[in-house]
Amino acid sequence: MRWAPTRGGIVGGTVARAGAAPGTMSGSDTAPFLSQADDTDDGPAPGTPGLPGSMGSPRSEDHEVPDREGLQRITGLSSGRSALIVAVLCYINLLNYMDRFTVAGVLPDIEQFFDIGDSSSGLIQTVFISSYMVLAPVFGYLGDRYNRKYLMCGGIAFWSLVTLGSSFIPREQFWLLLLTRGLVGVGEASYSTIAPTLIADLFVADQRSRMLSVFYFAIPVGSGLGYIAGSKVKDVAGDWHWALRVTPHPTLLAVVLLFLVVREPPRGAVERHSDSPPLNPTSWWEDLRALARNPSFILSSLGFTAVAFVTGSLALWAPAFLLRSRVVLGETPPCLPGDSCSSSDSLVFGLITCLTGVLGVGLGVEISRRLRRSNPRADPLVCAAGLLGSSPFLFLSLACARGSIVATYIFIFIGETLLSMNWAIVADILLYVVIPTRRSTAEAFQIVLSHLLGDAGSPYLIGLISDRLRQRWPPSFLSEFRALQFSLMLCAFMGALGGAAFLGAAIFIEGDRRRAQLHVQGLLREAGPADDRIVVPQRGRSTRVPVSSVLI
């Protein structure tokens, strides 16, 4: 990549201050990996707006970050209205994940009703995730260019109607259940790629981090409520089909709230200089090209892929594994054809998912907030610690399942708490290393990558391995348990790989974040693809920035 000098010039490996004599040198970029940032001499000059928008930004507390009145002038929305918008988005996100995991809460009954094996059961989640993954780039492209509220309204209404329709499928039409789960993924893709970008355009700095943490609380809580609602509604109604009829009605209410409450804020306005020109969207290929050259984004997405692999596997298979463990221990009768399967493990696992999600998301955000005071790379390091720490506990939960179900639950609790530390932090990393006009595309790209290599195939892969292992052993309840136990151990290995990816992201995070912030503030712009340059124009008072902050 080449750089074009402006009147300030790029001299001696740095971007020089406006008016500096040619040949003037700046300090080198020598930020240690685990301690200080390179912000001592190279930060904004006095009077220059700060660099908002980063959860890990050491300058997030500067007075130039807009206050409530400033945000209201920029967005045209009061602080109360902005908070209400986030509340509506959180409510929809809660229903989103409830809908996803209601099926997992009644999976043994679905297997029995359609007379299918583990591999076919895993295919239910794989089809949903694959559809969701394929459509995410389409909605990412649309979300960066068109009205986001209307896109979400249409998608959410579609997914609620399809979910309701899937509850009336006869036992001979298992393929139709797969089709409807795939169509549900179409609707959910319209929401998940767009909603975080609305929050990013309403808040900056620590305010954004807090709102994102609230938004992502809905993931584990909604997932846990999906297990609970699915299992308890099935018990009350005596039919698992009623579990799929829980979320469509409140989801239609969510469409009405979304239409009436949410207003479209200007993209990236809260992060620009007051005199900076608005950012214009570039072509989709240019967006992908820029994202592919952003190592922090790529590596954090790979780390999140490992999170998706582990959570996708546990989400579908943990209740069934716990049931088989209790059968082997003699604590519950086996699930035989014609009988209703025990739902107690789905209920307990749902409660654990809710509690560990709230604890893990809050713990991750708070640890990162405290560590970033001395370490600007705290975000990816906390994510790495969460993944690397969760792997041994998840392994122990599987290894202890034949001896003590209580020990299994304890290790699952610890492992899921550490795993949940990633959710809000990964989202914030994306928002501060990617410019506003590419964020929906970046969300979509991250969804495609994390699901393609993560939970799109992991439930089916776990089920397939389990079926292959069962074929080698004599049929018994013990062999069913052992087969699923051994196949789920793959999750611990994937967690360790994800931790390594986040450690890699920590190397590049500061430079990528600074480059995005300078771009948003009008201090840096990209030239056309013909010459592959980035130009640093003179805009009032310039600032001296190490080349490593803008060039990787």
Side-chain angles (χ1 to χ4, degrees):
M1 182 183 295
R2 292 179 295 139
W3 293 76
T6 63
R7 285 182 293 173
I10 297 179
V11 183
T14 64
V15 181
R17 295 186 186 274
T24 301
M25 305 291 288
S26 78
S28 61
D29 177 22
T30 58
F33 178 54
L34 295 174
S35 58
Q36 283 296 108
D38 51 351
D39 60 356
T40 305
D41 298 321
D42 299 303
T48 301
L51 301 175
S54 166
M55 183 169 146
S57 172
R59 301 219 180 256
S60 61
E61 72 275 11
D62 286 355
H63 68 275
E64 292 85 358
V65 174
D67 55 13
R68 289 186 178 180
E69 291 74 16
L71 287 173
Q72 183 172 346
R73 287 194 303 270
I74 294 170
T75 63
L77 301 169
S78 66
S79 59
R81 182 63 175 269
S82 297
L84 184 60
I85 290 174
V86 174
V88 171
L89 295 178
C90 290
Y91 170 66
I92 299 172
N93 207 30
L94 189 76
L95 295 175
N96 178 5
Y97 280 86
M98 277 187 66
D99 181 80
R100 290 192 196 187
F101 295 106
T102 298
V103 171
V106 294
L107 186 62
D109 295 274
I110 293 177
E111 285 185 325
Q112 180 181 306
F113 181 82
F114 289 105
D115 192 22
I116 56 177
D118 286 350
S119 58
S120 296
S121 299
L123 200 58
I124 297 173
Q125 188 76 348
T126 294
V127 168
F128 164 76
I129 294 296
S130 297
S131 171
Y132 173 72
M133 171 188 69
V134 169
L135 270 294
V138 175
F139 287 105
Y141 176 86
L142 297 174
D144 279 334
R145 291 158 178 82
Y146 301 102
N147 190 288
R148 292 171 283 189
K149 179 173 79 171
Y150 297 139
L151 289 171
M152 289 190 293
C153 284
I156 294 168
F158 179 77
W159 118 46
S160 64
L161 293 174
V162 172
T163 299
L164 183 62
S166 67
S167 67
F168 297 99
I169 296 173
R171 69 176 65 240
E172 299 83 10
Q173 307 293 329
F174 176 67
W175 65 270
L176 191 55
L177 178 64
L178 295 179
L179 176 62
T180 55
R181 293 309 294 173
L183 293 176
V184 169
V186 175
E188 294 196 15
S190 68
Y191 179 76
S192 297
T193 56
I194 295 173
T197 67
L198 280 173
I199 298 176
D201 288 333
L202 291 171
F203 303 95
V204 292
D206 287 341
Q207 290 176 305
R208 176 190 291 172
S209 301
R210 286 191 293 269
M211 292 301 174
L212 282 174
S213 65
V214 172
F215 180 78
Y216 284 102
F217 273 135
I219 294 179
V221 175
S223 302
L225 290 177
Y227 294 114
I228 296 169
S231 60
K232 298 313 293 182
V233 168
K234 183 212 72 172
D235 289 343
V236 172
D239 184 357
W240 67 268
H241 290 88
W242 283 96
L244 301 182
R245 299 165 190 165
V246 173
T247 57
H249 299 90
T251 301
L252 290 175
L253 172 62
V255 175
V256 177
L257 291 174
L258 186 64
F259 184 81
L260 296 178
V261 173
V262 174
R263 288 178 55 188
E264 178 86 1
R267 289 177 174 85
V270 295
E271 295 166 278
R272 291 200 301 266
H273 283 270
S274 59
D275 60 344
S276 299
L279 295 173
N280 296 316
T282 53
S283 71
W284 192 62
W285 288 113
E286 288 182 53
D287 291 347
L288 292 181
R289 189 165 167 264
L291 292 174
R293 296 184 304 186
N294 188 327
S296 297
F297 170 73
I298 294 296
L299 289 169
S300 62
S301 296
L302 288 173
F304 188 66
T305 299
V307 177
F309 186 99
V310 176
T311 55
S313 301
L314 294 177
L316 189 71
W317 289 114
F321 172 74
L322 293 169
L323 175 61
R324 294 181 188 183
S325 172
R326 289 165 63 87
V327 169
V328 170
L329 292 172
E331 298 180 5
T332 190
C335 185
L336 300 174
D339 296 335
S340 178
C341 300
S342 172
S343 61
S344 61
D345 294 296
S346 294
L347 177 62
V348 174
F349 186 73
L351 291 172
I352 288 177
T353 302
C354 287
L355 292 175
T356 57
V358 172
L359 182 61
V361 171
L363 190 64
V365 171
E366 182 62 20
I367 291 175
S368 180
R369 186 184 69 84
R370 292 177 180 273
L371 285 181
R372 68 173 180 256
R373 298 171 183 170
S374 58
N375 187 350
R377 300 179 174 93
D379 289 354
L381 292 176
V382 170
C383 290
L387 264 177
L388 294 173
S390 68
S391 294
F393 287 105
L394 293 177
F395 178 84
L396 288 173
S397 70
L398 298 170
C400 294
R402 191 177 175 184
S404 170
I405 196 68
V406 174
T408 297
Y409 278 128
I410 292 174
F411 288 130
I412 287 177
F413 187 94
I414 299 173
E416 284 209 326
T417 299
L418 294 171
L419 197 63
S420 297
M421 291 170 61
N422 290 270
W423 291 108
I425 302 176
V426 171
D428 209 16
I429 289 174
L430 182 149
L431 293 175
Y432 66 65
V433 300
V434 177
I435 63 174
T437 53
R438 291 180 181 141
R439 283 173 180 164
S440 288
T441 299
E443 291 278 357
F445 183 89
Q446 189 173 82
I447 286 173
V448 169
L449 182 64
S450 62
H451 292 311
L452 178 65
L453 303 178
D455 56 351
S458 65
Y460 177 71
L461 179 62
I462 296 298
L464 185 64
I465 295 173
S466 176
D467 277 348
R468 294 294 184 269
L469 291 174
R470 286 167 62 180
Q471 291 173 4
R472 298 183 178 183
W473 300 326
S476 66
F477 296 121
L478 178 60
S479 64
E480 292 180 2
F481 163 75
R482 290 178 59 202
L484 192 53
Q485 179 189 43
F486 292 158
S487 60
L488 282 171
M489 287 182 178
L490 182 60
C491 294
F493 175 72
M494 292 301 299
L497 290 181
F502 279 119
L503 289 176
I507 299 174
F508 302 99
I509 195 75
E510 277 296 281
D512 289 338
R513 183 187 62 197
R514 185 67 60 87
R515 180 169 58 182
Q517 291 166 339
L518 292 174
H519 192 136
V520 169
Q521 294 176 352
L523 300 175
L524 182 106
R525 68 179 178 85
E526 292 180 356
D531 54 9
D532 191 22
R533 298 180 302 169
I534 293 182
V535 181
V536 183
Q538 179 186 12
R539 292 187 55 83
R541 178 178 293 172
S542 185
T543 184
R544 184 179 57 185
V545 182
V547 164
S548 62
S549 295
V550 289
L551 175 61
I552 299 301

